[in-house]
Amino acid sequence: MSKVAVIGAGYVGLTTAACLADLGHDVTVVDIDKDKIALLRRGTVPFYEPGLRELVERNAAARRLAFTTSYRDAVPGAEFAIIAVSTPEGEGGEADLSYVEAAAASVAEAMDGPLIVVNKSTVPPLTGDMVSQVVKKHNTRHAAAVVSNPEFLREGSAIYDFTHPDRIVVGSNDRDAAEKVAGLYAPLNAYVLVTPNIYTAEMVKYAANAFLATRLSFINEIAWISERVGADAKLVAEGMGLDKRIGPSYLDAGIGWGGSCLPKDVAALAAVAERFNYHPELLHAVMDINRDQRMLVIDLLREALEELPGRVIGLLGLAFKPNTDDMREAPSIDIARVLLNAGADVRAYDPAAIERSRMLLPEVEYMKDAYEVASGADALVLVTEWNEFRQLDMPRVKQLMRRPVLVDGRNIYDPAVMKSLGFAYRGIGRE
């Protein structure tokens, strides 16, 4: 088993650290956020991810997982330093690599021997070269190999994704270093793709996320067409997905994709292309469709309610997807802001994301459950497909509402059943 330093205690860094510790490695997480480290030392995970708190507690108790704010407590003696810091979208869509650069410099200053520096953060091609140059600049005494090892963790199922990966991708201009990084995951018995250089591994992550976003925008455009010709987009997607060449994943029409990965990664990949004087028409179309899709909800509400000022609109769900409290690029933000600016009264409930939403949308009225949202509402919008919303007592919901307008932004309800209950039901690409 190896001694590992993980830089960054966010979604990716903390999940990676806890899972590596659970495989038996000696892991120390370093983060410059003193409050976050204090919480973790007390056993509190500062965000919602199913199963992560228990995993952190177990491995901290076994002394395989530790937390610090000092690079000098984590890096000296380590065989691997895994950089898992934020890479937010910068001006023009390019990835902001300032946190990666700062982490690389701090790692270099603390290293006391040969080290393998692993880029786990989602970064554009050529970032590995930058990290290598930064490390050499800040430490001329010891050699460091840089390896790209992109993560493929889905928020809400990150632990499962780590322990049951479709593939592990590693790439470096130093083949031996890449093989050693792959060895960290040996107990998982997963398929390992070792690329012949670091740029290929970096590109795999961006290409994968861009393709997933493309599938979602594609089915949303198909839904728009389907509704106008009288077709059911959900059944169209099912028919497509039965084709083995296509498959059913990421073919759920809805109100658009969000989160910490797809929006910024598609934008960053487009920025990379433009830096090399290539116009990525498809990527821009994917982003444009997603932006427009969020406003479809507003159009459906205006059509059903005639006017928005003074109307009470309830949002069921706030997080960008179920089983997380992440509000980054969540469709609920754009929808709520447009409704508020139009003069509507907006109320909302989410099982996990209310506290994070309060900071972004203080004008929204937050309720204790879905039924309180429905009470006296002129319309409900299903924004996030949490399982508890699938189990609602819909006759009770209708009875509580002032007007039974239901916009199903994730197509989780049966249109015929909803209409038979008396709802003015609108789905995405469904009559």
Side-chain angles (χ1 to χ4, degrees), residues 232-240 430:
D232 186 321
K234 195 173 182 71
L235 293 177
V236 170
E238 182 179 350
M240 291 171 56
R430 312 182 81 183

Side-chain angles (χ1 to χ4, degrees), residues 107-322:
V107 166
E109 290 167 354
M111 61 189 281
D112 61 352
L115 183 68
I116 296 175
V117 179
V118 183
N119 275 339
K120 178 68 76 173
S121 299
T122 300
V123 294
L126 306 179
T127 301
D129 289 348
M130 179 271 285
V131 170
S132 181
Q133 291 165 7
V134 170
V135 171
K136 289 177 181 176
K137 175 183 176 181
H138 289 269
N139 192 317
T140 58
R141 301 184 307 278
H142 305 293
V146 179
V147 177
S148 174
N149 173 216
E151 54 85 16
F152 300 99
L153 307 178
R154 296 168 298 169
E155 290 181 38
S157 57
I159 294 172
Y160 179 87
D161 290 345
F162 186 100
T163 55
H164 301 80
D166 294 328
R167 78 291 202 196
I168 291 167
V169 177
V170 292
S172 177
N173 299 329
D174 182 331
R175 175 81 182 198
D176 183 60
E179 296 281 3
K180 288 179 179 177
V181 172
L184 288 171
Y185 306 96
L188 300 177
N189 295 314
Y191 180 84
V192 177
L193 174 65
V194 180
T195 64
N197 58 47
I198 196 169
Y199 318 117
T200 304
E202 292 171 331
M203 191 65 184
V204 166
K205 170 67 173 181
Y206 269 82
N209 276 359
F211 183 69
L212 295 176
T214 299
R215 284 179 69 107
L216 290 170
S217 284
F218 176 82
I219 199 62
N220 281 334
E221 187 156 279
I222 291 298
W224 191 94
I225 300 170
S226 294
E227 182 172 340
R228 282 151 183 79
V229 302
D232 186 321
K234 195 173 182 71
L235 293 177
V236 170
E238 182 179 350
M240 291 171 56
L242 291 170
D243 188 325
K244 292 182 175 62
R245 298 169 301 173
I246 298 173
S249 298
Y250 283 74
L251 286 180
D252 294 312
I255 54 177
W257 35 271
S260 63
C261 293
L262 297 190
K264 73 178 181 65
D265 291 353
V266 176
L269 184 56
V272 169
E274 288 163 352
R275 179 151 49 105
F276 288 91
N277 298 316
Y278 177 78
H279 179 59
E281 295 182 51
L282 177 59
L283 296 179
H284 283 297
V286 167
M287 291 185 283
D288 290 344
I289 292 169
N290 190 56
R291 183 183 61 250
D292 294 345
Q293 197 70 12
R294 301 179 180 203
M295 294 303 99
L296 176 61
V297 169
I298 308 302
D299 294 338
L300 293 175
L301 288 171
R302 282 200 171 102
E303 182 180 309
L305 299 175
E306 297 179 359
E307 58 182 17
L308 294 178
R311 302 298 189 190
V312 178
I313 312 295
L315 305 183
L316 298 181
L318 293 161
F320 86 94
K321 63 181 288 188

Side-chain angles (χ1 to χ4, degrees), residues 332-350:
S332 62
I333 298 173
D334 291 336
I335 293 168
R337 285 175 177 166
V338 171
L339 290 172
L340 290 166
N341 288 337
D345 295 325
V346 181
R347 55 175 63 165
Y349 165 72
D350 186 284

Side-chain angles (χ1 to χ4, degrees), residues 3-54:
K3 181 175 172 55
V4 181
V6 174
I7 318 304
Y11 283 94
V12 174
L14 187 57
T15 302
T16 298
C19 289
L20 285 175
D22 212 49
L23 294 181
H25 299 293
D26 179 6
V27 182
T28 301
V29 179
V30 56
D31 196 297
I32 60 174
D33 186 331
K34 295 180 180 179
D35 292 337
K36 183 182 290 186
I37 292 299
L39 286 173
L40 289 167
R41 284 175 170 169
R42 294 197 299 268
T44 301
V45 174
F47 52 84
Y48 179 73
E49 179 63 39
L52 185 57
R53 179 178 60 82
E54 295 81 1

